[in-house]
Amino acid sequence: MVSALGMAAVLGGCGLTGDSGEVTLELVAADYGDSKATSSQRYWDDLVEKYEADHPDVHIDVTVHSWNDIDREVKERVAAGDPPDLAQIGAYADYAAKDLLYKADDVLSIPVQADFVSQLAAAGQVNGVQYGMPFAASTRVLFYNKTLFAEAGLTPPKTWDDLAAAAEALKARGVKYPYALPLGPEEAQAETMQWLLSGGGGYLDTIGTYDIDSPENVATFTWLKEELVGKDLTGPVAPGKLNRADAFAAFADGDVGMLNGHPTLMKTAAAKGVEFGMVPTPGVNGESKATLGVTDWMTAFKKNGHRDEIGDFLDFVYSEKNVLDFSRRYDLLPVTGSASEAMSAAEQDKELKPFLDELVLSELYPVGKTSWAEVSAEIKKRIGQAVASGSSPAAVLALIQSAATRAESAE
């Protein structure tokens, strides 16, 4: 997820080339690579070459942008009345609410749409209609440093109390970050949701309304504040100032005993020689009954038409072979059932098995709400204060809930 590799070409809206009946589709996509050599541009270029070889009248023009730029780039294009035909981005609900997107069943064949992992497909719905097509997925598990654990005579934690006791033992041995708690603005909404789920709560109540200051959530953050942060078990950087990328880097440097991580951390840690283990997220009284799932989205804009061509290309994109290829390149989880089954059975994918197992227990951000972007920003801004010295977790969560209620009422 590095710098943008180019600006999107403006095709003038119609998507037609010449008078030959040929069609050009424009796809703007996010970069999952960490260098030019691993850029997603290479993946798309290879895929498009294969597709165009069998479809000489359809041309696919792909531009890849970094995650720092992609959502803003598409938003600006849409505001200017010049959306791409396809955008592989982080959110879809605003565009669906404005009736700018094809429904999934407008463009996908029935077998392809039915193949999506059910939780991911459901998260792509607004009022029961699917607009967001899941593209890449990940889940979270607890990573721990095997060497540090062995030196302290520890076994992996299954409960919060186990985790706190392990953190105490690691601190006593001078480990810099016994448990890394990244509640900084980069990705605080992820760490927060992981902890809320492990405490039996979450961002929503059972009818789908924001319930951020629920008793369960207040109890979770009170425990974090008193049992981890207050006992100096989360390292030298205040959680509200610790970003996820910095926590991952510290783990790869051997300075972290435990943290919640997703599949990309495996490669980073292994490259630096860190021996690590992975276990399901600890919960209050045992393994958490739910874990955080995250997916990114493919969207199809209606403005330029070409529904049939868009649908045919997407059926190709979502074939088992291509979904597996993308997932394996970037240590991500397949978004289709067929590719998930193939990955579960493949020896080459055994390291991803813990994450695949968690996918069926995962809950996703409430991305079907147009208010989610605003609420997520509020969480990033404030949640670190909930565990700060002298703060009231209940009061901070109530502030976030008030903002969420206002945003939800404006939907």
Side-chain angles (χ1 to χ4, degrees):
M1 300 178 187
V2 292
S3 61
L5 298 178
M7 296 301 291
V10 176
L11 297 181
C14 71
L16 294 174
T17 57
D19 299 317
S20 62
E22 295 182 357
V23 170
T24 295
L25 300 179
E26 186 186 6
L27 165 62
V28 177
D31 197 354
Y32 292 82
D34 56 12
S35 69
K36 190 171 183 178
T38 62
S39 167
S40 297
Q41 189 75 52
R42 291 198 169 198
Y43 170 79
W44 286 112
D45 288 349
D46 292 345
L47 191 75
V48 165
E49 183 179 353
K50 293 170 187 170
Y51 182 78
E52 290 180 347
D54 291 330
H55 300 80
D57 293 334
V58 179
H59 306 286
I60 315 294
D61 185 355
V62 182
T63 309
V64 167
H65 293 271
S66 80
W67 276 108
N68 293 329
D69 302 323
I70 182 73
D71 289 317
R72 173 184 51 78
E73 169 71 20
V74 173
K75 187 175 183 180
E76 289 174 356
R77 292 277 304 274
V78 171
D82 179 40
D85 300 284
L86 293 159
Q88 188 265 301
I89 47 180
Y92 67 86
D94 281 352
Y95 303 130
K98 295 171 183 172
D99 196 29
L100 300 177
L101 301 179
Y102 284 118
K103 295 179 286 188
D105 59 12
D106 286 337
V107 290
L108 296 176
S109 66
I110 291 173
V112 169
Q113 188 178 5
D115 197 25
F116 286 131
V117 174
S118 59
Q119 295 97 313
L120 307 184
Q125 295 178 358
V126 176
N127 297 324
V129 178
Q130 185 180 356
Y131 294 91
M133 293 168 273
F135 183 73
S138 70
T139 54
R140 301 294 198 270
V141 298
L142 185 77
F143 282 70
Y144 65 95
N145 184 309
K146 282 188 171 181
T147 303
L148 297 178
F149 264 61
E151 290 171 354
L154 297 170
T155 55
K158 293 183 178 180
T159 68
W160 286 2
D161 287 345
D162 292 346
L163 187 149
E168 287 273 17
L170 292 166
K171 179 190 174 187
R173 296 186 64 83
V175 174
K176 191 172 181 181
Y177 293 89
Y179 178 84
L181 182 66
L183 296 177
E186 178 200 1
E187 206 185 38
Q189 82 285 1
E191 184 75 9
T192 298
M193 185 166 170
Q194 186 80 346
W195 275 99
L196 297 184
L197 291 172
S198 73
Y203 287 138
L204 306 178
D205 61 18
T206 54
I207 60 170
T209 301
Y210 289 112
D211 195 20
I212 293 168
D213 61 347
S214 69
E216 294 86 356
N217 294 346
V218 170
T220 294
F221 267 81
T222 300
W223 186 90
L224 281 172
K225 179 176 184 288
E226 294 177 354
E227 301 300 324
L228 289 187
V229 183
K231 293 182 178 178
D232 196 26
L233 300 177
T234 54
V237 180
K241 297 186 183 302
L242 181 64
N243 280 326
R244 190 266 315 160
D246 296 329
F248 277 21
F251 186 84
D253 287 338
D255 291 333
V256 174
M258 301 170 281
L259 84 174
N260 287 322
H262 53 64
T264 57
L265 182 55
M266 294 189 300
K267 190 173 291 183
T268 308
K272 291 218 173 175
V274 172
E275 290 194 30
F276 60 87
M278 300 178 295
V279 292
T281 305
V284 182
N285 299 312
E287 292 177 3
S288 178
K289 292 181 174 59
T291 190
L292 170 65
V294 178
T295 191
D296 303 319
W297 303 100
M298 181 68 77
T299 55
F301 286 88
K302 296 194 291 186
K303 176 111 190 284
N304 300 330
H306 309 310
R307 184 180 81 172
D308 291 344
E309 291 84 358
I310 287 170
D312 191 71
F313 177 63
L314 287 178
D315 278 359
F316 179 73
V317 168
Y318 284 109
S319 69
E320 179 183 318
K321 178 180 181 296
N322 290 329
V323 172
L324 274 174
D325 182 19
F326 182 85
S327 302
R328 285 168 171 160
R329 283 195 193 205
Y330 298 107
D331 289 327
L332 291 163
L333 303 182
V335 296
T336 62
S338 59
S340 294
E341 288 175 15
M343 184 174 275
S344 290
E347 178 66 20
Q348 73 182 90
D349 301 310
K350 63 182 180 181
E351 286 188 329
L352 284 168
K353 186 88 165 55
F355 300 95
L356 276 170
D357 292 343
E358 291 296 293
L359 191 59
V360 297
L361 303 172
S362 67
E363 291 190 24
L364 280 76
Y365 301 129
V367 288
K369 290 177 170 288
T370 57
S371 58
W372 170 241
E374 186 177 338
V375 174
S376 177
E378 190 73 12
I379 293 165
K380 292 177 182 181
K381 176 183 174 183
R382 296 191 183 276
I383 197 65
Q385 300 165 18
V387 295
S389 177
S391 71
S392 162
V396 173
L397 291 173
L399 277 174
I400 298 172
Q401 175 62 35
S402 295
T405 300
R406 289 194 298 273
E408 192 169 39
S409 64
E411 284 187 324

